[in-house]
């Protein structure tokens, strides 16, 4: 592992802690800090207890909080003084993929493999939309993908895990919708979805794993609006239960096998993340401040031009169909409106510690609003049959 990391150490040195492949765009910024943390976890020499190491997720640092520097030093066998830091609040499930990959490939190879997998899954999902004849709705999905920024997903390991998992779960829904409708399969689908996301993610923007497939479900469902809204709530609760219970299970298992009380640490971190005071930039930012902070990530000409083009497509579609906005269509759009508002609910509930301080990746939750919002507009201005 260390040899393969050392081969591409120059890549880490060149990119630094928060690399921007398009300067001035936080949307083009990777999280090398977290990626380097996972690399250090993977290269950890071992304490003699595999269970302890799995629970505590230890890494060796050569200084204070300098993951990317420590990766290069450790990979090259530096004999300087190190100290151990544990990060056991999360499952860090992506390590079960990263470790075997590092045995065979260097970081450049892994990035290229990730790109191939992401492009392949994206193609499969697009073909799934076409197979279902959801051509207009594909416009909203395209907007969501651009909002997430697929290039950044390739550059960042922890980002790519959540992105790939979202694409995979969306593909499953598109190709197996009829099978999932049988019995309680859809309920199990969203429960397992939440479990997978809490196991593999690093709390960047996991809600895309729930909301993007949910929008696709709403597109495919022939149920009445009330039933759709009811399912939205139930599926959301199941996703949340799967996410919360399995996360809680990590703290319990870590406490049992290591004796360290992760509950106390997790509660302290939860208070910091949800606090309205947890920021190093300005004192006590307001809710409006953190909403603006996230939305401003897209207040640049390329994104604005994309928004104009997408709105133009909707207007042209409406004119060609001679569509009229009716009460029936407005009611049919309600399930999409609820999903559209979901990111803003998250920004509200999870305070400045998450939504303001980490705006440079939390803004990607707005991909949910883009997909749901465009779909909602097509529903309002469209001519297809709506079930009320």
């Amino acid at each position: 592992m260390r040899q393969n990391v050392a081969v591409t150490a120059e890549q880490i040195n060149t990119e630094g802690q928060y690399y921007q492949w398009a300067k001035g765009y936080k949307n083009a910024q990777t999280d090398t800090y977290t990626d380097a943390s996972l690399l250090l976890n993977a290269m950890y020499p071992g304490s003699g207890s595999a269970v302890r190491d799995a629970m505590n997720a230890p890494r060796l640092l050569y200084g204070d909080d300098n993951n990317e520097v420590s990766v290069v030093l450790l990979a090259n066998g530096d004999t300087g003084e190190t100290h151990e830091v544990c990060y056991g609040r999360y499952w860090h499930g992506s390590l079960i993929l990263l470790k075997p990959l590092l045995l065979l490939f260097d970081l450049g190879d892994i990035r290229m493999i990730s790109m191939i997998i992401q492009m392949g899954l994206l193609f499969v999902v697009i073909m799934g939309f076409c197979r279902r004849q959801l051509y207009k709705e594909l416009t909203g999905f395209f907007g969501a993908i651009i909002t997430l920024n697929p290039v950044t997903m390739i550059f960042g390991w922890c980002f790519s895990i959540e992105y790939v998992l979202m694409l995979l779960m969306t593909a499953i829904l598109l190709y197996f919708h009829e099978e999932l409708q049988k019995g309680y399969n859809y309920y199990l689908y969203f429960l397992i979805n939440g479990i997978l996301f809490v196991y593999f993610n690093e709390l960047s923007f996991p809600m895309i794993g729930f909301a993007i497939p949910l929008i696709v479900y709403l597109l495919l469902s022939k149920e009445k609006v009330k039933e759709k809204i009811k399912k939205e709530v139930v599926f959301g609760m199941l996703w949340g239960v799967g996410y919360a219970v399995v996360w809680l299970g990590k703290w319990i298992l870590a406490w049992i096998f290591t004796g360290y009380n992760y509950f106390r640490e997790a509660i302290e971190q939860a208070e910091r993340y949800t606090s309205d005071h947890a920021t190093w930039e300005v004192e006590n930012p307001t809710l409006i401040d953190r909403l603006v902070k996230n939305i401003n990530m897209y207040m640049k000409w390329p994104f604005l031009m994309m928004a104009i083009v997408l709105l133009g497509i909707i207007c042209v579609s409406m004119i060609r169909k001679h569509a009229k906005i009716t009460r029936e269509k407005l009611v049919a759009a309600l399930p999409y409106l609820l999903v559209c508002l979901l990111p803003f609910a998250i920004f509200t509930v999870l305070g400045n510690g998450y939504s303001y301080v980490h705006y440079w990746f939390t803004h990607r939750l707005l991909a949910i609003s883009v997909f749901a919002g465009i779909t909602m507009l097509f529903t309002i201005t469209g001519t297809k049959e709506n079930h009320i």
Side-chain angles (χ1 to χ4, degrees), residues 207-323:
M207 192 56 69
I208 65 168
F210 164 66
I212 300 296
L214 178 63
I215 297 168
V216 176
Y217 168 81
L218 294 173
L219 288 170
L220 297 177
S221 174
K222 302 300 181 183
E223 297 164 317
K224 295 185 181 297
V225 171
K226 285 185 178 180
E227 187 64 24
K228 284 184 177 181
I229 293 175
K230 178 183 174 182
K231 289 285 183 66
E232 279 183 305
V233 175
V234 174
F235 291 160
M237 291 174 63
L238 286 170
W239 192 90
V241 167
Y243 195 100
V245 170
V246 173
W247 197 359
L248 185 67
K250 174 60 191 297
W251 307 341
I252 294 172
L253 289 174
W255 196 358
I256 291 171
F257 288 108
T258 71
Y260 182 78
N261 186 356
Y262 275 103
F263 280 89
R264 182 171 57 221
E265 179 182 323
I267 291 171
E268 290 173 356
Q269 289 299 315
E271 290 175 349
R272 184 175 77 87
Y273 267 73
T274 57
S275 170
D276 285 339
H277 311 292
T279 172
W280 303 283
E281 296 185 21
V282 297
E283 186 176 354
N284 300 337
T286 64
L287 171 60
I288 298 300
D289 290 332
R290 61 178 178 264
L291 292 177
V292 169
K293 191 83 166 176
N294 283 272
I295 294 171
N296 271 348
M297 294 301 95
Y298 300 103
M299 292 296 106
K300 289 183 176 291
W301 278 113
F303 293 113
L304 293 175
M305 287 188 291
M306 182 189 77
I308 292 170
V309 170
L310 291 176
L311 289 174
I313 291 172
I314 295 171
C315 291
V316 169
S317 175
M318 185 178 180
I319 293 170
R320 287 184 60 190
K321 299 287 186 179
H322 302 287

Side-chain angles (χ1 to χ4, degrees), residues 183-200:
Y184 294 97
N185 288 345
Y186 254 122
Y187 299 97
L188 289 172
Y189 167 89
F190 280 101
L191 179 66
I192 294 170
N193 187 327
I195 291 171
L196 289 173
F197 263 86
V198 74
Y199 182 73
F200 284 103

Side-chain angles (χ1 to χ4, degrees), residues 86-257:
C86 294
Y87 194 23
R89 293 195 307 275
Y90 301 106
W91 279 102
H92 305 294
S94 66
L95 287 172
I96 67 173
L97 303 174
L98 184 60
K99 286 184 177 182
L101 285 171
L102 285 173
L103 288 173
L104 300 171
F105 307 105
D106 62 38
L107 297 179
D109 294 331
I110 292 172
R111 187 173 282 179
M112 293 303 291
I113 291 169
S114 177
M115 181 271 292
I116 293 169
I117 292 172
Q118 290 178 39
M119 292 296 104
L121 278 173
L122 183 58
F123 175 78
V124 169
V125 171
I126 291 172
M127 291 303 295
F129 271 89
C130 295
R131 179 172 172 265
R132 299 284 181 178
Q133 298 185 337
L134 297 172
Y135 302 113
K136 289 191 301 182
E137 291 78 2
L138 189 55
T139 307
F141 181 74
F142 170 79
I145 294 299
I146 296 300
T147 305
L148 287 169
N149 196 326
V151 178
T152 307
M153 299 300 103
I154 294 169
F155 275 96
W157 172 260
C158 64
F159 288 171
S160 71
I161 291 296
E162 296 185 24
Y163 179 63
V164 165
L165 192 52
M166 179 274 291
L167 289 175
L168 179 61
M169 298 307 292
T170 303
I172 289 171
L173 198 153
L174 281 166
Y175 285 88
F176 300 100
H177 172 66
E178 286 74 21
E179 287 76 10
L180 289 170
Q181 282 185 306
K182 298 175 183 176
Y184 294 97
N185 288 345
Y186 254 122
Y187 299 97
L188 289 172
Y189 167 89
F190 280 101
L191 179 66
I192 294 170
N193 187 327
I195 291 171
L196 289 173
F197 263 86
V198 74
Y199 182 73
F200 284 103
N201 92 96
E202 300 292 325
L203 198 60
S204 299
F205 35 86
M207 192 56 69
I208 65 168
F210 164 66
I212 300 296
L214 178 63
I215 297 168
V216 176
Y217 168 81
L218 294 173
L219 288 170
L220 297 177
S221 174
K222 302 300 181 183
E223 297 164 317
K224 295 185 181 297
V225 171
K226 285 185 178 180
E227 187 64 24
K228 284 184 177 181
I229 293 175
K230 178 183 174 182
K231 289 285 183 66
E232 279 183 305
V233 175
V234 174
F235 291 160
M237 291 174 63
L238 286 170
W239 192 90
V241 167
Y243 195 100
V245 170
V246 173
W247 197 359
L248 185 67
K250 174 60 191 297
W251 307 341
I252 294 172
L253 289 174
W255 196 358
I256 291 171
F257 288 108

